[in-house]
Amino acid sequence: MHPFRPVDRHGVALHDAPAERWDELFRDVSRAGFTALEIADSHIRPADLTTSRRNELLSIAADNDVTLLSVHVQRQSVIQAGVGEANLAYAHRTIDAIAEMGMQVLSTGLHQPLTAAQRDAAWFWTVPGHADPRDEDIRALAVKRLRGLGRHAAEVGIPISLEMYEDTYLGTADSAVRLLEEIGLDNVGLNPDIGNLIRLHRPIEDWRAAYEKTLPYANYWHMKNYARDEIGGGQAYSCVPTTLELGFINYRDVVRTAVQGGYRGPFLMEHYGGDSLGVSATNRRYLQDLLASDASPRKHEPLALRRR
């Protein structure tokens, strides 16, 4: 939902907007060729809508031939100091809302609100933000609370996907895999959004190795790409958003590897800046071409689920 204003020019939040504004949003999504949408809670919070407004949201989406696929709970970490318990309760209410509305996935993570300096930057990822502490007790608390969410979600038949994000316990491939294995639930998987990591203005882990480690746990996927440059052997870095095709990650290679390995989850097109919806549509067409070109049957060994 990056293309859409969370608050309009008149100060009305999209969450509280009249039906006409929601209809305009879904018309734009449909005209761009999309048939499904992830609801970001930065824009609309299904857990905080009345039943009548939830039904209205579903009806308007259906009138525009758009399916509400998932809810992304972002920057509301269950271990955030002072509000972790409140964020946990909100995530549980979101699971109930997803189940009531017939959506398919809860996407969330451990990233926390942007700092003032990040909000003031041209690109927020160029400024350091919150980092989860190197504290095994707090990490254990994250595992406990996420496991509780996973068990709740399993009761209503919903998978949870945890988004990789820098400087959290989901901030490297090894740390993310360890967290998934510690949670140990079949319905809790990984959103291998390596795009969040390659955009950092600092040394990064190799994206190929990161995907090799994380794809066996993937059940949902935020896809975006960046043009990355490193100057003077690490003296300076540059990174700006671009299309899936033109960026640093070779998505032709990684998508083929994922699909051959058994990935069958959703692909979500994500882009920052400019005409985000238009670029997302371009990326969708590129991805559809990749999937179509690999549609012929082939023999392959499925990627092993290493937590088994």
Side-chain angles (χ1 to χ4, degrees):
M1 297 187 74
H2 291 320
F4 307 104
R5 294 171 177 260
V7 180
D8 70 15
R9 295 180 180 88
H10 306 291
V12 178
L14 185 60
H15 178 84
D16 302 314
E20 292 77 14
R21 188 169 167 215
W22 285 357
D23 185 61
E24 181 181 2
L25 182 156
F26 287 113
R27 281 204 312 272
D28 286 344
V29 170
S30 181
R31 287 170 178 169
F34 289 97
T35 59
L37 181 70
E38 174 194 86
I39 297 295
D41 75 343
S42 54
H43 291 63
I44 298 175
R45 303 180 306 280
D48 293 337
L49 293 174
T50 63
T51 297
S52 62
R53 285 235 82 188
R54 290 176 187 173
N55 291 336
E56 185 176 37
L57 184 67
L58 288 168
S59 177
I60 294 171
D63 287 346
N64 287 281
D65 298 318
V66 175
T67 297
L68 301 188
L69 182 71
S70 55
V71 175
H72 181 52
V73 173
Q74 59 183 5
R75 304 194 181 279
Q76 302 202 56
S77 171
V78 296
I79 55 170
Q80 184 178 343
V83 296
E85 290 186 359
N87 289 346
L88 178 64
Y90 168 73
H92 278 291
R93 290 193 291 111
T94 301
I95 290 172
D96 291 333
I98 289 173
E100 178 186 315
M101 298 175 71
M103 289 189 273
Q104 299 178 28
V105 181
L106 170 65
S107 171
T108 190
L110 293 172
H111 38 313
Q112 299 197 16
L114 298 175
T115 66
Q118 286 180 307
R119 291 194 299 270
D120 290 341
W123 302 113
F124 66 84
W125 55 83
T126 64
V127 178
H130 167 83
D132 284 342
R134 296 183 179 180
D135 184 317
E136 287 301 313
D137 288 339
I138 296 179
R139 183 185 178 100
L141 180 63
V143 170
K144 178 182 177 181
R145 289 179 172 176
L146 292 171
R147 186 185 293 133
L149 287 176
R151 286 173 174 163
H152 179 186
E155 291 173 357
V156 294
I158 294 171
I160 292 179
S161 191
L162 302 179
E163 181 181 9
M164 296 184 69
Y165 197 90
E166 76 268 13
D167 298 326
T168 70
Y169 299 137
L170 293 155
T172 67
D174 287 339
S175 183
V177 166
R178 178 188 162 196
L179 194 76
L180 264 290
E181 291 180 336
E182 289 170 340
I183 293 168
L185 296 178
D186 290 343
N187 69 315
V188 180
L190 197 62
N191 173 356
D193 190 352
I194 306 299
N196 285 338
L197 308 182
I198 66 160
R199 67 190 179 189
L200 301 176
H201 284 201
R202 66 193 193 201
I204 58 172
E205 63 181 310
D206 183 86
W207 62 264
R208 299 169 188 83
Y211 275 121
E212 181 179 356
K213 294 175 181 178
T214 58
L215 283 177
Y217 300 84
N219 62 353
Y220 191 74
W221 198 344
H222 286 180
M223 308 189 81
K224 54 182 177 285
N225 216 344
Y226 295 84
R228 178 180 175 87
D229 193 15
E230 300 183 10
I231 303 167
Q235 295 181 13
Y237 301 89
S238 173
C239 196
V240 294
T242 188
T243 64
L244 293 186
E245 184 176 13
L246 296 179
F248 191 64
I249 295 171
N250 180 351
Y251 274 103
R252 181 180 299 273
D253 180 59
V254 75
V255 168
R256 178 173 292 163
T257 298
V259 172
Q260 290 181 0
Y263 180 78
R264 295 297 182 269
F267 298 97
L268 180 130
M269 304 297 101
E270 181 183 10
H271 184 79
Y272 286 94
D275 180 3
S276 177
L277 183 60
V279 175
S280 293
T282 296
N283 287 341
R284 186 201 69 246
R285 290 189 291 270
Y286 168 74
L287 177 63
Q288 287 172 321
D289 287 344
L290 293 187
L291 295 172
S293 68
D294 278 348
S296 57
R298 64 178 72 228
K299 294 181 179 180
H300 62 269
E301 291 297 325
L303 292 171
L305 285 177
R306 295 174 182 162
R307 66 173 181 266
R308 295 287 175 267

